[in-house]
């Protein structure tokens, strides 16, 4: 006689769930995300030699563009980048892809990587979008700014003034751009602030590429007036000054510049 216990009936609550098949919508969503991920290379492990070299290449190209050593349309061949920085093609390619993501370089199927060449229409649209965005952000920032915020802005302007007299163009341009990004941050609208940060970055590159040497990328005195008007409560005047400030910046841009007779190593500051 068998001593085997009879199987206990499975309660409804413990029924083995069936594996659900992904919906068509979910499958499409995953495919789209996979395609988007292909365009943005995964960063190397933080602190790894490849990550350090990738960062060094990006910084060298960016600084050279901001210093007007690298001019629009300059070719950046992968092989030359590999030789100059002593890196593999994989590292050079990832650095160039990141620079393309930041609109510093353009990637062409046949020509490879070249320093970005914004067209007159690109420039017009980017500045138009930025002026409209900042016209909306300045009143929001003025409505939320506290005494501590204005004290922080004043300190930032003092630092900006100091850099104007002792630092090179890249450092000064970054500080001048940071003023506008800070106003966007004070608005409290993270979405608009993010859009502004991208537009300011693209404007800074256009100015660095095309503005005649010797001109200030942003007029410090106008920054001071904008803060004065905001703190005084004359928001309409602050918006007007800022809009004229950006319009003047756009007018000073000259989209024609001669190509310098230098090697890529010289333009990157490596020779």
């Amino acid at each position: 006689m068998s001593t085997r216990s009879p199987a206990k009936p499975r309660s409804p609550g413990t029924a083995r769930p069936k594996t659900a098949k992904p919906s068509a919508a979910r499958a499409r969503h995953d495919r789209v995300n996979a395609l988007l991920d292909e365009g943005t290379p995964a960063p190397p492990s933080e602190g790894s030699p490849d990550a350090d070299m990738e960062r060094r290449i990006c910084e060298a190209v960016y600084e050279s563009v901001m210093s007007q050593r690298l001019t629009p349309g300059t070719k950046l061949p992968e092989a030359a980048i590999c030789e100059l920085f002593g890196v593999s093609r994989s590292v050079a390619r990832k650095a160039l892809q990141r620079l393309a993501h930041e609109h510093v370089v353009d990637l062409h199927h046949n020509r490879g990587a070249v320093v970005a060449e914004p067209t007159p229409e690109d420039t017009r649209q980017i500045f138009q979008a930025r002026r409209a965005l900042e016209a909306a952000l300045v009143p929001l920032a003025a409505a939320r700014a506290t005494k501590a915020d204005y004290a922080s802005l004043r300190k930032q302007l003092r630092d900006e003034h100091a850099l104007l007299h002792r630092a090179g163009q890249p450092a000064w341009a970054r500080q001048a751009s940071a003023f506008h990004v800070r106003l966007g941050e004070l608005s409290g609208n993270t979405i608009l602030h993010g859009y502004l940060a991208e537009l300011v970055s693209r404007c800074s590159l256009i100015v660095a590429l095309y503005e005649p040497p010797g001109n200030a990328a942003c007029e410090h005195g106008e920054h001071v007036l904008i803060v004065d008007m905001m703190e005084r409560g004359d928001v309409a005047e602050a918006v007007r000054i800022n809009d004229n400030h950006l319009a003047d910046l756009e007018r000073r841009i000259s989209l024609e510049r001669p190509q310098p007779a230098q090697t890529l190593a010289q333009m990157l500051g490596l020779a």
Side-chain angles (χ1 to χ4, degrees):
M1 180 176 176
S2 173
T3 58
R4 184 178 178 182
S5 301
K8 294 181 180 180
R10 184 178 292 148
S11 65
T14 59
R16 185 178 291 114
K18 294 182 179 180
T19 303
K21 294 183 179 180
S23 66
R26 177 65 185 178
R28 284 195 302 270
H29 174 78
D30 291 342
R31 284 198 300 272
V32 169
N33 279 345
L35 288 172
L36 290 173
D37 288 342
E38 287 177 7
T40 305
S45 302
E46 189 66 28
S48 71
D50 282 356
D52 292 340
M53 290 309 302
E54 184 181 322
R55 189 179 308 109
R56 183 185 167 198
I57 293 168
C58 290
E59 289 175 354
V61 173
Y62 181 81
E63 293 287 323
S64 298
V65 168
M66 297 300 287
S67 301
Q68 298 187 334
R69 292 195 303 269
L70 277 175
T71 54
T74 301
K75 293 182 180 180
L76 299 171
E78 275 186 20
I81 296 294
C82 292
E83 183 179 351
L84 288 171
F85 291 92
V87 297
S88 66
R89 278 190 175 270
S90 173
V91 172
R93 187 174 299 119
K94 286 182 180 180
L96 292 172
Q97 287 174 337
R98 293 198 173 280
L99 288 164
H101 181 70
E102 297 297 326
H103 307 284
V104 179
V105 305
D106 293 329
L107 297 178
H108 300 289
H109 179 63
N110 294 324
R111 295 173 60 199
V114 299
V115 176
E117 297 179 272
T119 66
E121 183 61 16
D122 291 336
T123 300
R124 186 190 68 79
Q125 291 189 13
I126 290 169
F127 271 90
Q128 184 181 56
R130 179 176 170 183
R131 288 169 64 186
L133 192 55
E134 291 201 32
L137 285 169
V138 168
L140 293 176
R144 294 183 74 257
T146 64
K147 288 185 177 179
D149 290 329
Y150 281 115
S152 175
L153 278 173
R154 298 289 183 190
K155 181 184 182 305
Q156 188 169 342
L157 289 174
R158 289 194 296 273
D159 293 341
E160 180 184 294
H161 185 262
L163 282 175
L164 176 63
H165 294 287
R166 73 166 187 261
Q169 176 72 6
W172 156 246
R174 277 194 296 268
Q175 188 70 16
S177 297
F179 167 78
H180 292 272
V181 176
R182 174 60 176 152
L183 289 183
E185 183 182 12
L186 287 176
S187 73
N189 189 312
T190 56
I191 303 299
L192 294 181
H193 174 227
Y195 287 138
L196 178 65
E198 179 179 348
L199 286 171
V200 167
S201 176
R202 297 188 69 176
C203 285
S204 297
L205 286 167
I206 290 172
V207 169
L209 287 168
Y210 290 115
E211 190 175 47
N215 286 356
C218 235
E219 295 296 339
H220 171 76
E222 291 171 353
H223 288 179
V224 175
L225 282 175
I226 292 166
V227 175
D228 286 345
M229 294 302 105
M230 288 174 60
E231 194 166 20
R232 188 181 300 174
D234 194 345
V235 179
E237 182 64 7
V239 170
R240 187 192 69 80
I241 294 171
N242 189 67
D243 189 70
N244 288 342
H245 168 62
L246 295 176
D248 287 342
L249 182 60
E250 182 181 2
R251 278 193 292 268
R252 290 200 302 268
I253 293 171
S254 172
L255 295 179
E256 294 183 3
R257 291 191 59 197
Q259 296 289 330
Q262 292 183 312
T263 65
L264 180 58
Q266 290 170 326
M267 288 186 280
L268 286 169
L270 300 175

